[in-house]
Amino acid sequence: MSTDITTAVPAPPAGPSAMQRLLGLNLVRSLLVSLGVLVVGVLLLESTDAYTNTQLSSLTYFTIAAIGLTALTGLNGQISLGHGALMAVGAYTTALMLDTDSPLPFPVIALAAIVMTSLVGFVVGIGAARLHGPYLAGATLAFAVALPSVALYFKGTFNGEAGLTVISPRPPEWFVSFIDAVSGEFATSSKYVAYLGLFCLVIALFFALNLGRSKIGRHWRAVRDQEVAAEIAGINLGRTRVQAFVISAAYAGLAGAVMAMVVRLAAPTVFTLVLSLSLLTAVVIGGLGSITGAFIGSAVLVFLPPLVTDLSTDAKLSDTQAAQMSPLIYGIVLVLVMLLAPGGVMGTLSMAWRRRRARRQLTATPTKKG
Amino acid sequence: MTPPIEPDPQPSPSGGEPRPHDPGRPASRYLAQGVTVRFGGLVALDDVSLAVEPGQVHGVIGPNGAGKTTLFNVCCGFVKPNAGSLTWDERELNNLHAHDLAGLGIARTLQGVGLFPGMSALENVMTGAGVRSTSGFVSAAFGLPRARRDEQALQERAMQTLSDLGAAHLAPRYPGMLPYPDQKKVALARALVSEPRLLLLDEPAAGLSEGEMDELGDLVQQLTSRMSVLIVEHHMDLVMRICDQITVLDFGQVIARGTPAEVRDDPKVIAAYLGAEVSAGEEIDTAVLESHGTTTKGA
Ligand SMILES: Nc1ncnc2c1ncn2[C@@H]1O[C@H](COP(=O)(O)OP(=O)(O)OP(=O)(O)O)[C@@H](O)[C@H]1O
Ligand SMILES: [Mg+2]
């Protein structure tokens, strides 16, 4: 331990090139990644059939919700079994706002869904901030179970068990001509909804990338890792936890808004506990705290069940058996991930990478020690 | 009982060798007065007072269960005292919360290390100075240049603090992969990066080798040009070497305070440490070291 503590600020390192500086900006990096996802998304949507388009729409809202949940659970260490219910808040808000002759433009509706869900998330988050582990899981579970009864109680507004049918927004003129120009096809309402989902995903991704790499993300992780040390460093534990919960809820709200339009229904049967659990599963499979992992986990969630159903039909299983097959495989995948790779796909990859780098560093400079 | 500490902010004349004057010299005084803490029926601290004078190293010692850690926890807001007051910088700290410490210019290391395992050493240190960067949520969410500038400044400061401790090479490593002394260095850097005016060290020498302990002692003494230090430590030779003032606790009460030399020869201190069976003439540090089963007595 050298004790030379009197030196002042270090000599600034040789100035990076303008290009490096530009790429060093979170803004620029996140923009590039988000634009990349946008381009890939458009290519996928335009090169696949209507059925796959619907699957891709599902992928957008699952991923948005998974990004929010992976931030909450992976970065801030709070578990939530209530995100399906938070999505319901966004979905019902959207359904109610679309149910007029001349609905507001979608960005306004999405924003309203986000605000509503954030408010609910704020209340839940205040309760959650004081709880840990199984208690937190239990409390959010209770929230997920209790919320649908609101829809049943205020039957006049939310139409009880049957729920609200969502009238998908009609594609505007410019969108129709855009699709016509790109693929020469007629833009259906489903296609429009898929594009809206993609746009929401890209925007959600942009903010998540920025936040994760910022001071905010670091403080979330500090609270997750070591409460006492975080507090001493000046981080207000309660406020940070509530903040993380509200942001996560905002993502769930946006996801719910998109989901309402894709599924065309906002009903208690859509936002069951299974939805909350599936989200958590997706996040765990992908790797807690990883945005790429949120994409991977959501893709598994969306594409695995039909794949399994197809395979089992090919294997001459009855329809009922085939339908039961996919939850089974899904459960098996989850158990395997928990057993073999508890860090999920991305966690395992980054761990391997980190180990390899450490090993290489050790062999390269065997004597480098303070 | 020892006399109460007078609250006037006069530097204690008995505090070690005089230090050369420089403009950045610390001028704040930390004062705990009449602190009483009861855990149920147990009186952990009974009317304890202590003053950390500007630029001094103040040691708190005492046998196991004397209340040292409790006193520390009171000083940084983890334990609310049943009675008593804390004063810092001539301001009374009412209703102190641990997360207010950093803003007040007070930093603390934890017993053990308490690093964030999921972050690199550099990020750990950056977190220690987080409250000093002012960019907010919006600039972070949009990735604005302002947030980026703040982060860069923070990163440079963290890096500088690490290299001041000879630990620059640890920056990209994760705490779980580091040997214990390196972890402690990172933890110290995390406390120092916020440039505190008061540093609370909780058993900083635990788990260090004799050589590392000497370096730590030198380091702490150099720190006093910029901050005051309050230290709880079991290694008596280290405490005797680096402290200007020592407060001795036993069963929650202050039984002695003074310079290392005064405390060392105080019969009450010797009695407290040795109990009845050992005769009062024996050297305190030998006995203490034996009673703690350590083998690191300075020659
Ligand atoms: N949270 C608590 N609840 C109840 N009793 C406590 C609590 N914390 C400490 N005590 C008791 O208060 C007394 C003082 O404890 P403290 O940890 O402050 O001693 P210490 O001087 O730090 O001891 P050591 O040298 O062993 O670390 C002990 O008798 C301890 O058992
Ligand atoms: Mg203790």
Side-chain angles (χ1 to χ4, degrees), chain B residues 207-220:
Chain B
L208 296 188
S209 74
E210 200 172 330
E212 289 158 342
M213 217 182 300
D214 285 344
E215 284 178 56
L216 177 73
D218 294 342
L219 173 71
V220 169

Side-chain angles (χ1 to χ4, degrees), chain B residues 62-244:
Chain B
N64 289 99
K68 305 181 294 291
T69 300
T70 307
L71 179 61
F72 233 66
N73 285 340
V74 168
C75 287
C76 66
F78 279 126
V79 170
K80 303 260 167 290
N82 298 86
S85 67
L86 305 172
T87 313
W88 167 239
D89 222 1
E90 320 211 357
R91 233 179 77 205
E92 192 164 325
L93 303 176
N94 290 316
N95 198 14
L96 178 69
H97 289 286
H99 59 244
D100 299 328
L101 281 183
L104 290 165
I106 302 176
R108 176 187 172 168
T109 63
L110 296 171
Q111 199 164 344
V113 282
L115 290 175
F116 307 116
M119 297 185 197
S120 70
L122 184 65
E123 285 177 299
N124 262 278
V125 179
M126 286 169 74
T127 308
V131 288
R132 291 183 51 128
S133 75
T134 51
S135 63
F137 184 83
V138 174
S139 49
F142 284 89
L144 297 183
R146 176 172 153 66
R148 172 71 189 166
R149 266 198 307 277
D150 263 7
E151 281 288 286
Q152 212 144 36
L154 201 59
Q155 191 172 333
E156 271 163 28
R157 266 237 317 250
M159 204 59 217
Q160 181 62 41
T161 311
L162 274 173
S163 49
D164 285 346
L165 297 175
H169 62 287
L170 304 178
R173 314 272 305 271
Y174 279 70
M177 300 172 173
L178 295 178
Y180 192 72
D182 282 346
Q183 291 187 26
K184 293 211 96 158
K185 260 185 230 180
V186 177
L188 189 59
R190 187 177 63 186
L192 289 176
V193 71
S194 60
E195 290 173 7
R197 287 174 294 138
L198 175 66
L199 178 65
L200 308 176
L201 293 172
D202 205 349
E203 305 207 12
L208 296 188
S209 74
E210 200 172 330
E212 289 158 342
M213 217 182 300
D214 285 344
E215 284 178 56
L216 177 73
D218 294 342
L219 173 71
V220 169
Q221 287 193 309
Q222 286 187 42
L223 289 177
T224 54
S225 64
R226 294 180 294 162
M227 63 192 78
S228 322
V229 180
L230 180 62
I231 179 171
V232 170
E233 185 48 68
H234 274 307
H235 291 92
M236 213 44 70
D237 45 351
L238 178 66
V239 173
M240 291 296 165
R241 179 161 81 82
I242 66 173
C243 290
D244 301 297

